[in-house]
Amino acid sequence: MKKEWNQYDPGSLYDELIAAVHQPREASYKLVEYLRHLTPDRFRQCVQESEVVIREMGITFTVYSDAGNIDRAWPFDIIPRIIHAAEWDRTEIGLKQRIRALNMFIQDIYNGGQILKDGVMPADVVLQSKGYRKACIGMTPPHGVWANICGSDLVRHSDGVLYVLEDNLRVPSGVAYMLENRNITKRVLPEIFNTLPIRPVSNYPAQLYEMLASLRPDLDDPTIALMTPGVYNSAYFEHAFLAQQAGLVLLEGADLVVGNDNYVYMKTIKGLERVDVIYRRIDDDFIDPEVFREDSMLGVPGIMRAWKEGKVAIANAPGCGVADDKVIYAYVPDMIRYYLGEEPSLPNVPTYVCRRDEDRAYVLEHLAELVVKPANESGGYGMLAGPHSTPEKVEEFRKLIQEDPNNYIAQPTLSLSVTPTSCETADKGHIKIAPRHVDLRPFILSGKDIFVTPGGLTRVALVEGSLIVNSSQGGGSKDTWIVGDVMEGEEV
């Protein structure tokens, strides 16, 4: 593959592995040299082996479409993305700072709303958010933590800086694919793991269990369940994987019942058995038909009563989605200053809040240059990517913003970093190495303590020039390596 790597040129884009033509970055030098010395046939064999492993292990995701729900093999690229350990250590500090402030914010707004009274944030931004739940007023979850599992999306701009693009606090997904990406890479590139100090991710299931158990400090051995919407959910593979790996009981809402004593029980062949902690993968709207959507068949009637009486712990806590709002995202740096008295370690992407007259005027004038996002959509849906859109779509969003400015933010189009990716050519027997845009979703666990995955899920836009990394819209993923000096416990 020497020819492919010698010809590789990311141009003016920031590349995660290559500093300049023929010049790998310090942390990626050994990996690039290893890949350069593979023959084209051996490299192609590695790609094919990864595809076989994915099929054998049944690693899938579901795409919802008009034609029906389609299970697809997980799209994976064998060339890892590398981040130097020194940079990652700084990033981890910033992620911990951010989640502390977010949890303090959620606790505050359901218990007096001092940040609103002090005028740091407009009250209507919070109280009118789709994620705000009146049913949660007065609640304090264990440790004062509402968002126990968070997936914050990071992007690197051409300036080399990592920015927080958004915080996913409701039911963040993708961690199972992070773990499986490592397993696949070890299968197809085993030799490289003997030469590089790669920080492990395999302890995530144990950390997840420990965090969930910490939500019932009154119990020595709590019964912990993962509540899934069921086999037809797009993330069901992940639900089943995490339950198996972390030793959780995999249940659906129909498997649970709230007793007259307001404890939650699971139905078993031996009768009812109490459940103490629930890791729910169901949105607030569907979790309890007595409180939220009456037509929900996914949740458990009365589970909010049990939670509010402290008879079951729920992760993530109902109501935490208020901080998942993309308008509220713009105020996170202010939250950090307000609650922690610190400057943010990780910057937000510059954000225009359309509810502000000055920001809205700028956005409407520069729509074709900006990315516009509604407050509560996810997965890349419902947004406008101005530079890659049509004049008709731009005008459609102009009307939407004018009709409901409170629901929209806008951000400049970032020049996302790239990393070498194996790409098929028209000649099916040949694979080329080409730059493709990436982002990163690290996962943060918060309970008694805070734990951050070393790296996370790197998502990659497989189409040349595309910025869309979501698997549901044609993106793929890579293993993410945090590489630095050899340390105790590292993968060497």
Side-chain angles (χ1 to χ4, degrees):
M1 297 294 291
K2 288 183 180 179
K3 181 180 177 182
E4 285 291 339
W5 285 98
N6 289 341
Q7 292 176 344
Y8 180 85
D9 182 5
S12 60
L13 299 170
Y14 185 101
D15 193 285
E16 298 289 334
L17 295 191
I18 308 296
V21 177
H22 303 160
Q23 187 180 336
R25 298 189 183 279
E26 176 188 353
S28 59
Y29 178 81
K30 287 186 178 179
L31 171 66
V32 173
E33 282 301 294
Y34 170 79
L35 294 173
R36 282 183 75 246
H37 286 88
L38 293 180
T39 65
D41 285 344
R42 175 62 186 133
F43 185 81
R44 192 181 310 109
Q45 183 183 2
C46 289
V47 172
Q48 292 168 348
E49 284 178 4
S50 72
E51 294 169 350
V52 170
V53 170
I54 288 168
R55 288 196 299 271
E56 287 179 348
M57 297 172 70
I59 307 173
T60 64
F61 70 104
T62 304
V63 176
Y64 297 126
S65 70
D66 293 338
N69 301 341
I70 305 168
D71 279 331
R72 291 182 179 171
W74 180 242
F76 172 76
D77 181 67
I78 69 168
I79 303 175
R81 182 252 192 97
I82 290 182
I83 300 174
H84 195 283
E87 180 185 22
W88 183 252
D89 290 341
R90 296 191 296 271
T91 303
E92 182 178 315
I93 290 170
L95 290 168
K96 288 181 175 180
Q97 177 196 58
R98 194 173 181 96
I99 196 62
R100 281 198 299 268
L102 285 164
N103 274 311
M104 292 173 76
F105 163 72
I106 304 169
Q107 173 67 12
D108 182 12
I109 62 162
Y110 289 124
N111 291 274
Q114 195 60 45
I115 194 171
L116 309 181
K117 295 173 183 176
D118 289 343
V120 177
M121 295 179 64
D124 65 309
V125 166
V126 176
L127 302 181
Q128 294 177 17
S129 168
K130 291 181 180 178
Y132 179 74
R133 306 295 182 193
K134 290 183 180 179
C136 297
I137 292 173
M139 270 300 295
T140 296
H143 315 296
V145 173
W146 294 74
N148 306 103
I149 302 102
C150 173
S152 291
D153 291 342
L154 307 179
V155 293
R156 195 191 301 277
H157 187 39
S158 56
D159 57 7
V161 175
L162 282 171
Y163 292 85
V164 180
L165 183 65
E166 63 185 38
D167 303 290
N168 299 283
L169 303 176
R170 287 173 290 186
V171 281
S173 63
V175 72
Y177 299 110
M178 174 196 78
L179 297 170
E180 291 288 46
N181 285 352
R182 179 61 53 86
N183 291 334
I184 299 165
T185 308
K186 281 185 170 182
R187 290 273 294 269
V188 299
L189 301 174
E191 302 92 346
I192 193 65
F193 283 86
N194 295 323
T195 63
L196 279 175
I198 304 165
R199 293 190 182 177
V201 295
S202 57
N203 59 342
Y204 179 87
Q207 294 282 358
L208 174 64
Y209 182 90
E210 184 178 326
M211 181 277 291
L212 292 170
S214 81
L215 303 185
R216 289 301 303 268
D218 55 317
L219 300 176
D220 292 331
D221 187 22
T223 298
I224 307 174
L226 188 154
M227 187 165 72
T228 174
V231 296
Y232 296 109
N233 184 266
S234 62
Y236 183 75
F237 167 82
E238 174 162 283
H239 304 166
F241 177 90
L242 288 176
Q244 192 274 329
Q245 292 290 312
L248 313 179
V249 184
L250 184 64
L251 299 170
E252 297 182 27
D255 300 318
L256 295 167
V257 63
V258 176
N260 293 331
D261 56 2
N262 282 342
Y263 282 101
V264 179
Y265 296 89
M266 60 180 169
K267 305 167 187 174
T268 76
I269 57 173
K270 297 179 181 179
L272 297 179
E273 295 184 14
R274 205 171 88 185
V275 175
D276 306 303
V277 181
I278 294 175
Y279 173 19
R280 53 102 176 201
R281 295 299 295 259
I282 296 174
D283 285 332
D284 284 355
D285 283 341
F286 302 98
I287 196 171
D288 187 341
E290 288 185 2
V291 178
F292 302 119
R293 284 187 55 160
E294 295 180 359
D295 61 344
S296 173
M297 302 295 289
L298 301 176
V300 185
I303 197 171
M304 286 291 290
R305 285 199 316 273
W307 175 66
K308 294 179 84 168
E309 290 189 17
K311 294 185 174 180
V312 70
I314 300 177
N316 286 345
C320 75
V322 65
D324 209 330
D325 185 298
K326 291 179 176 60
V327 176
I328 289 175
Y329 155 92
Y331 294 90
V332 174
D334 294 329
M335 291 179 203
I336 292 171
R337 298 182 186 101
Y338 179 78
Y339 293 114
L340 303 178
E342 302 169 358
E343 283 300 308
S345 297
L346 287 173
N348 270 19
V349 175
T351 302
Y352 302 97
V353 180
C354 292
R355 72 188 314 277
R356 300 172 182 155
D357 293 342
E358 185 178 347
D359 283 10
R360 183 169 67 256
Y362 179 87
V363 169
L364 293 174
E365 186 177 343
H366 297 85
L367 261 182
E369 306 163 21
L370 301 170
V371 175
V372 179
K373 301 177 181 179
N376 288 284
E377 290 287 348
S378 61
Y381 293 101
M383 59 182 280
L384 171 76
H388 305 281
S389 192
T390 62
E392 293 77 18
K393 196 71 174 176
V394 169
E395 290 309 309
E396 176 188 332
F397 268 77
R398 187 184 307 281
K399 292 178 182 177
L400 290 171
I401 293 169
Q402 289 170 334
E403 291 170 0
D404 188 11
N406 289 357
N407 191 44
Y408 291 93
I409 63 164
Q411 296 169 331
T413 305
L414 298 183
S415 179
L416 296 191
S417 65
V418 295
T419 194
T421 303
S422 58
C423 305
E424 279 195 359
T425 63
D427 176 6
K428 293 293 184 182
H430 179 67
I431 297 175
K432 70 174 182 178
I433 308 298
R436 293 291 185 266
H437 293 289
V438 291
D439 76 352
L440 178 66
R441 178 175 291 180
F443 297 89
I444 307 103
L445 297 176
S446 302
K448 181 181 177 183
D449 303 304
I450 300 176
F451 167 77
V452 180
T453 56
L457 179 66
T458 287
R459 300 182 299 178
V460 54
L462 297 176
V463 177
E464 184 176 2
S466 173
L467 299 175
I468 298 175
V469 298
N470 304 85
S471 56
S472 59
Q473 298 190 55
S477 73
K478 292 169 167 284
D479 195 6
T480 309
W481 293 359
I482 306 301
V483 174
D485 299 330
V486 177
M487 296 169 59
E488 184 180 353
E490 288 191 340
E491 233 157 23
V492 293

